[in-house]
């Protein structure tokens, strides 16, 4: 562990002890709001304190085992124990470093998934449909709830654009690196000569916020239209003007929701999506100023970057940000994204550790 990380560890452990003393005071619960804040802070650093305690214990056991090597009667036992203890110490050190990273407060948020067809005409729309199904299948595998909020069908299948909401613990943490341009290379079903075409679709992952203090929506800035829902949805479709389209006049951002029977519920969902898009736009502007020094432009909102290629003739998927190629195209398109999302999270984690370790 670097000296910088060691100092941060000491500071957090000292603060954990200090908060514990404050919570133990007889009048600690006199101010309920402060008590909740302190309790939350204490709980957030408890894992770090536990890991540090376990690491210190394992390091002591390892030091004792190495000392046993000098005793002929105990040397064989020590040689058996040392590799296990070294692995334990290394594992705990890695966990400590992970816990030292500042936590993204949005990681547990639900999210809005937006998929849009890019270059490639009908084939791009079909590919956008494939991507939407891939993410919804992944959500299903994780036990998350998903709903299609709005969709504009392609002329020959797929979607010109679609917006879904995914609800589940850790949803944003798992999918936040998916934003960007996804490229597909395959022979379209309409291609008689068998030539491989390249098409693209863009994906945006936006965290849903319960309340965004920095995003103010004034009625004067909103143009609200109602219309009849279209597409699959049950008997209520095309009978009532329950679907909502909201235009944010200052930015020109347009959102809509036609999933719910209730116009009130659709309006609430559309406003939530609008807030998420406005927040994403603000964060993208800030991230763009920082992205030049980053190897991974993940979560930056940069839609122009080609982040991944799905090559059907070779059955492979390549993530260009981390130079990872997996020959598991059918499984990935069926929602088996664990290896991809895990690799992206590990790379982001390593970069964050390097930045934290190199901080003055």
């Amino acid at each position: 562990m670097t000296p910088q990380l060691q100092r941060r560890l000491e500071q957090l452990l000292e603060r954990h002890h200090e908060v514990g003393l404050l919570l133990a005071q007889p009048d600690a619960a006199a101010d309920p709001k402060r008590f909740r804040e302190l309790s939350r802070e204490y709980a957030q650093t408890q894992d770090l304190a536990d890991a540090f305690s376990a690491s210190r214990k394992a390091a002591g056991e390892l030091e004792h085992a190495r000392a046993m090597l000098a005793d002929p009667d105990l040397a064989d036992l020590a040689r058996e124990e040392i590799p296990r203890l070294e692995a334990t110490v290394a594992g705990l050190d890695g966990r400590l470093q992970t816990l030292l990273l500042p936590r993204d407060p949005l990681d547990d948020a639900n999210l809005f998934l937006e998929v849009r067809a890019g270059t490639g005409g009908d084939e791009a729309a079909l590919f956008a449909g494939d991507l939407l199904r891939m993410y919804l299948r992944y959500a299903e595998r994780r036990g998350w709830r998903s709903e299609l909020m709005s969709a504009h069908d392609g002329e020959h299948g797929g979607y010109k654009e679609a917006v879904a909401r995914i609800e589940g613990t850790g949803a944003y943490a798992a999918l936040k690196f998916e934003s960007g341009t996804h490229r597909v290379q395959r022979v379209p079903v309409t291609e008689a000569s068998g030539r491989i075409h390249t098409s693209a679709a863009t994906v945006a992952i936006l965290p849903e916020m319960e309340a965004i203090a920095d995003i103010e929506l004034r009625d004067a800035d909103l143009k609200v239209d109602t219309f009849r829902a279209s597409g699959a949805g049950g008997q209520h479709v095309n009978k009532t003007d329950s679907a909502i389209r909201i235009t944010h006049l200052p930015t020109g951002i347009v959102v809509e929701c036609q999933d719910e029977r209730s116009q009130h519920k659709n309006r609430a969902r559309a406003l939530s999506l609008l807030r998420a898009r406005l927040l994403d736009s603000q964060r993208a502007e800030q991230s763009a100023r920082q992205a030049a020094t980053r190897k991974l432009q993940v979560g930056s909102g940069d839609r122009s970057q080609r982040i991944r290629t799905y090559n059907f003739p070779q059955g492979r998927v390549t993530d260009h940000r981390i130079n990872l190629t997996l020959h598991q195209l059918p499984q990935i398109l069926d929602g088996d994204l664990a290896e991809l999302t895990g690799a992206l999270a590990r790379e982001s984690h390593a970069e964050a550790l390097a930045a934290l370790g190199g901080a003055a």
Side-chain angles (χ1 to χ4, degrees):
M1 186 179 295
T2 66
Q4 292 87 353
L5 288 175
Q6 185 64 40
R7 283 198 299 271
R8 178 170 172 80
L9 173 61
E10 292 169 357
Q11 292 168 356
L12 290 173
L13 291 174
E14 183 178 348
R15 177 58 181 169
H16 178 77
H17 179 69
E18 179 185 343
V19 172
L21 293 177
L22 291 172
L23 288 171
Q25 292 180 358
D27 60 344
D31 183 344
K33 181 181 178 181
R34 176 161 172 73
F35 183 77
R36 285 195 300 271
E37 292 173 350
L38 289 173
S39 297
R40 188 180 302 112
E41 183 180 356
Y42 188 82
Q44 288 173 346
T45 53
Q46 184 62 56
D47 284 347
L48 182 68
D50 291 343
F52 175 72
S53 178
S55 176
R56 187 166 56 177
K57 179 183 177 183
E61 292 176 354
L62 177 59
E63 184 179 354
H64 178 67
R66 286 171 174 164
M68 289 165 54
L69 290 172
D71 187 334
D73 295 331
L74 300 175
D76 288 343
L77 177 61
R79 278 189 283 269
E80 292 179 5
E81 284 293 297
I82 286 174
R84 179 186 65 81
L85 290 169
E86 286 177 338
T88 299
V89 169
L92 288 168
D93 185 62
R95 175 160 174 73
L96 275 174
Q97 294 189 51
T98 297
L99 292 170
L100 284 171
L101 290 176
R103 188 175 181 276
D104 185 344
L106 298 176
D107 274 353
D108 288 331
N110 301 323
L111 62 89
F112 295 106
L113 162 67
E114 301 182 354
V115 181
R116 289 181 172 80
T119 55
D122 293 337
E123 174 63 11
L126 291 170
F127 179 50
D130 292 339
L131 290 177
L132 179 65
R133 178 183 179 276
M134 177 182 77
Y135 289 120
L136 295 183
R137 286 285 292 121
Y138 177 65
E140 182 182 338
R141 288 169 179 260
R142 295 291 299 266
W144 299 333
R145 182 175 178 267
S146 62
E147 54 186 320
L148 190 62
M149 290 181 57
S150 66
H152 296 272
D153 297 339
E155 293 182 10
H156 295 89
Y159 297 101
K160 293 179 181 178
E161 65 174 64
V163 179
R165 178 178 177 271
I166 296 178
E167 176 183 342
T169 302
Y172 182 71
L175 291 175
K176 63 183 178 182
F177 302 132
E178 293 300 302
S179 291
T181 300
H182 296 240
R183 186 177 71 169
V184 63
Q185 295 172 325
R186 64 183 174 189
V187 179
V189 292
T190 56
E191 174 57 60
S193 63
R195 290 187 302 115
I196 297 174
H197 287 229
T198 298
S199 305
T202 60
V203 172
I205 303 294
L206 311 176
E208 181 184 43
M209 307 298 291
E210 293 295 331
I212 304 175
D214 296 335
I215 303 296
E216 179 185 0
L217 295 180
R218 300 185 303 166
D219 289 341
D221 293 337
L222 304 178
K223 179 176 181 288
V224 181
D225 299 306
T226 59
F227 61 98
R228 292 189 177 184
S230 60
Q235 294 181 349
H236 68 286
V237 170
N238 291 327
K239 292 189 177 181
T240 61
D241 291 340
S242 62
I244 291 287
R245 180 183 296 112
I246 299 178
T247 304
H248 187 247
L249 299 175
T251 61
I253 293 176
V254 179
V255 298
E256 63 181 52
C257 184
Q258 54 181 293
D259 180 64
E260 302 286 351
R261 292 172 182 264
S262 161
Q263 185 180 114
H264 175 73
K265 289 183 178 178
N266 278 328
R267 179 186 173 91
R269 282 284 166 81
L271 285 172
S272 181
L273 174 56
L274 177 58
R275 288 190 177 92
R277 283 200 191 169
L278 288 170
L279 179 66
D280 182 66
S281 178
Q282 289 183 3
R283 295 174 69 208
E285 291 176 4
Q286 181 181 17
S287 296
R289 293 192 292 269
Q290 303 168 345
T293 59
R294 298 179 65 196
K295 173 186 171 187
L296 273 180
Q297 294 189 4
V298 291
S300 68
D302 182 2
R303 306 288 181 259
S304 64
Q305 183 193 28
R306 181 194 68 187
I307 65 169
R308 191 176 295 152
T309 295
Y310 303 73
N311 185 295
F312 275 68
Q314 298 178 17
R316 63 172 171 83
V317 175
T318 298
D319 195 291
H320 304 287
R321 294 164 295 179
I322 54 177
N323 296 320
L324 173 66
T325 295
L326 300 174
H327 292 274
Q328 303 168 13
L329 178 61
Q331 297 93 322
I332 288 171
L333 287 177
D334 194 43
D336 187 1
L337 298 177
E339 191 166 352
L340 272 172
T341 58
L344 287 163
R346 287 191 296 273
E347 184 72 15
S348 177
H349 170 267
E351 285 200 342
L353 268 180
L356 184 61

